[in-house]
Amino acid sequence: MSSLHKSRIAEFQEILREPKIVLQKLRKLSFSGIPFEGGLRCLCWKILLNYLPLERPLWSSLLKKQRDLYAQFLKEMIIQPGIAKANLGVSREDVTLEDHPLNPNPDSRWNTYFKDNEVLLQIDKDVRRLYPDMAFFQRPTEYPCLLILDPQNEFETLRKRVEQTTLKSQTVARNRSGVTNVSSPHKTSAPHSLSEYEVLPNGCEAHWEVVERILFIYAKLNPGIAYVQGMNEIVGPLYYTFATDSNSDWKEHAEADTFFCFTNLMSEIRDNFIKSLDDSQCGITYKMEKVYSTLKETDMELYMKLQEQNIKPQFFAFRWLTLLLSQEFLLPDVIRIWDSLFADDNRFDFLLLVCCAMLTLIRDQLLEGDFTLNMRLLQDYPISDVHLILKKAKDLQDSK
């Protein structure tokens, strides 16, 4: 470890030791990258995403409260209607005419259960192929959810629920046009059938199953948006960061902490996933056009070239912006980009500048290329040095 890196770690530790964190100091330091060592990135992200308050003495009580709340969500939402467990504080009720699987009443708990299955199948399909070039998400977690996996209780796992359902996945088509229509250059194709995945023994669960549970709970608590394809790409880097931390306490509670950080992050970017808002000022179309208007200010020649070739920002910037660049780079590089995004005062204005920087850094190739070549460049971005991209974006920000 270099002396410079040690010095940066010491700077972070000094800021984080204060009884009240000075947010501007933390943001400024984090913008240039957060060290992984000593749980620093994990902790900084929780502060920057407004999960932990700035007052350090409040952390332990808040974490306990939120983790208990998440456990309650699991009890209430991952349970088959009509089945309950007395020792978890839920009394069993006899099945009645109002509560049976064939009841057509839309408010029936069984009807809700079957609708939830549709959402679950889409989530399941997406999380199984999270970063397929990495073994991490297929590996068993060190901290399986005992509340769900305890053989003494009557809760079923989401894994069993998917296996037992008779619904066909093709009936589920809730996705955002364009989010995953172009495969990432860094991702290999994933197996498609359940049988192609290694089945873990009872009492174990893979990391992708934890991510599945987080997204399912989020969908249940946010019925207005529920689950939209691409959310898996947002929660993946958050969970990976928390679940691989050197601090065993952070790792043990990675699921609950990821859920609340993901919820806070989604509160800032959820409009990107709502199709009815696409053309509003808070929608994704406005943001894509903003990338081009920024490019026009900084590089008129390149802007005119893309306009002449009728290369619309929808063809590439939709995925860049909606998924926070999580499909354009390898996971460690995505995490480094997110350090800067989360640290910036206007974090998603900075994302627009990162996208603009990505265009200007390949300007020579774009100016020389035809439509087909340029589309290939934009959908399979050729530069992997994210530090170069972030430096260019910062230069653009400073020049404004």
Side-chain angles (χ1 to χ4, degrees):
M1 187 187 298
S2 70
S3 58
L4 180 63
H5 191 66
K6 286 180 181 175
S7 171
R8 277 188 62 75
I9 290 173
E11 284 185 82
F12 274 96
Q13 289 172 336
E14 184 180 348
I15 287 175
L16 294 168
R17 270 197 298 266
E18 293 293 326
K20 182 168 183 178
I21 310 300
V22 180
L23 186 57
Q24 280 308 111
K25 280 188 183 177
L26 181 64
R27 279 180 168 160
K28 185 176 180 181
L29 198 58
S30 299
F31 187 84
S32 301
I34 305 169
F36 175 75
E37 293 86 355
L40 289 175
R41 175 175 280 130
C42 200
L43 178 55
C44 289
W45 278 18
K46 287 170 184 174
I47 296 169
L48 294 171
L49 289 172
N50 303 312
Y51 177 46
L52 287 178
L54 299 178
E55 294 79 12
R56 187 183 171 91
L58 301 178
W59 289 356
S60 59
S61 60
L62 180 132
L63 287 170
K64 183 180 186 310
K65 177 186 168 188
Q66 295 301 89
R67 291 163 179 174
D68 288 348
L69 178 60
Y70 186 75
Q72 190 59 40
F73 290 157
L74 294 180
K75 293 175 188 177
E76 292 176 4
M77 295 172 203
I78 302 182
I79 180 172
Q80 196 170 7
I83 298 177
K85 187 105 169 89
N87 66 357
L88 290 174
V90 185
S91 62
R92 177 165 183 139
E93 299 172 5
D94 292 329
V95 175
T96 67
L97 289 174
E98 286 73 37
D99 181 27
H100 64 84
L102 301 180
N103 183 1
N105 184 341
D107 297 325
S108 157
R109 283 192 292 174
W110 279 104
N111 189 56
T112 300
Y113 179 80
F114 294 137
K115 282 186 175 178
D116 289 345
N117 271 3
E118 295 181 12
V119 176
L120 176 59
L121 281 173
Q122 181 64 62
I123 294 172
D124 186 80
K125 187 171 75 172
D126 291 344
V127 296
R128 284 174 182 269
R129 54 192 184 201
L130 249 183
Y131 292 95
D133 53 335
M134 291 178 61
F136 171 79
F137 286 98
Q138 306 302 323
R139 286 183 186 142
T141 170
E142 295 174 58
Y143 300 99
C145 182
L146 299 180
L147 179 66
I148 300 293
L149 297 182
D150 184 352
Q152 299 302 310
N153 68 40
E154 296 176 20
F155 284 93
E156 65 175 354
T157 64
L158 294 184
R159 184 202 301 180
K160 287 180 184 173
R161 190 161 163 177
V162 169
E163 289 169 354
Q164 291 167 3
T165 187
T166 57
L167 291 170
K168 302 296 183 185
S169 60
Q170 58 261 38
T171 64
V172 183
R174 181 162 188 168
N175 66 326
R176 290 289 273 122
S177 174
V179 172
T180 54
N181 64 340
V182 181
S183 61
S184 169
H186 302 299
K187 299 190 179 186
T188 56
S189 58
H192 296 295
S193 69
L194 300 186
S195 61
E196 290 181 65
Y197 290 88
E198 180 186 353
V199 178
L200 295 175
N202 287 339
C204 296
E205 59 181 355
H207 287 290
W208 67 261
E209 294 183 86
V210 182
V211 174
E212 178 173 81
R213 201 157 49 233
I214 291 167
L215 289 168
F216 183 73
I217 296 293
Y218 179 83
K220 289 283 291 175
L221 288 171
N222 297 272
I225 186 171
Y227 173 76
V228 181
Q229 195 171 28
M231 289 181 183
N232 56 309
E233 304 288 353
I234 301 294
V235 76
L238 287 173
Y239 175 73
Y240 175 83
T241 298
F242 295 169
T244 58
D245 195 86
S246 57
N247 182 319
S248 60
D249 185 57
W250 286 149
K251 276 203 286 196
E252 182 177 357
H253 297 286
E255 179 176 352
D257 294 347
T258 299
F259 171 80
F260 289 108
C261 286
F262 172 69
T263 299
N264 288 355
L265 181 56
M266 281 301 299
S267 72
E268 298 183 49
I269 65 171
R270 59 179 286 159
D271 291 349
N272 294 346
F273 290 89
I274 301 175
K275 193 168 181 60
S276 61
L277 294 177
D278 278 0
D279 296 322
S280 70
Q281 193 162 341
C282 58
I284 190 66
T285 302
Y286 175 81
K287 291 168 188 170
M288 289 188 291
E289 293 297 342
K290 195 91 165 75
V291 172
Y292 264 24
S293 64
T294 304
L295 179 65
K296 185 178 180 180
E297 293 170 12
T298 57
D299 193 334
M300 176 62 83
E301 185 183 5
L302 179 55
Y303 169 77
M304 291 305 298
K305 174 74 172 182
L306 296 176
Q307 290 288 80
E308 286 166 15
Q309 292 186 341
N310 201 27
I311 295 178
K312 300 182 185 300
Q314 289 89 327
F315 298 162
F316 61 93
F318 184 96
R319 190 178 71 191
W320 292 6
L321 293 170
T322 305
L323 304 184
L324 308 184
L325 298 170
S326 60
Q327 284 197 325
E328 312 315 311
F329 303 99
L330 296 171
L331 184 55
D333 294 325
V334 171
I335 289 169
R336 171 62 193 90
I337 291 170
W338 285 17
D339 284 346
S340 294
L341 286 184
F342 295 165
D344 195 75
D345 288 344
N346 303 303
R347 50 175 144 245
F348 301 112
D349 285 343
F350 186 70
L351 176 61
L352 300 178
L353 294 174
V354 173
C355 293
C356 191
M358 289 169 68
L359 294 173
T360 57
L361 285 169
I362 56 170
R363 75 181 304 273
D364 291 345
Q365 293 152 279
L366 290 170
L367 289 173
E368 290 175 10
D370 59 15
F371 176 87
T372 304
L373 182 61
N374 285 345
M375 282 299 298
R376 192 176 300 131
L377 279 171
L378 293 169
Q379 294 177 345
D380 189 349
Y381 192 73
I383 296 177
S384 59
D385 185 351
V386 296
H387 297 90
L388 177 66
I389 295 167
L390 290 169
K391 182 181 183 307
K392 182 65 176 174
K394 185 71 170 86
D395 289 345
L396 292 173
Q397 186 182 55
D398 292 343
S399 67
K400 288 194 136 199

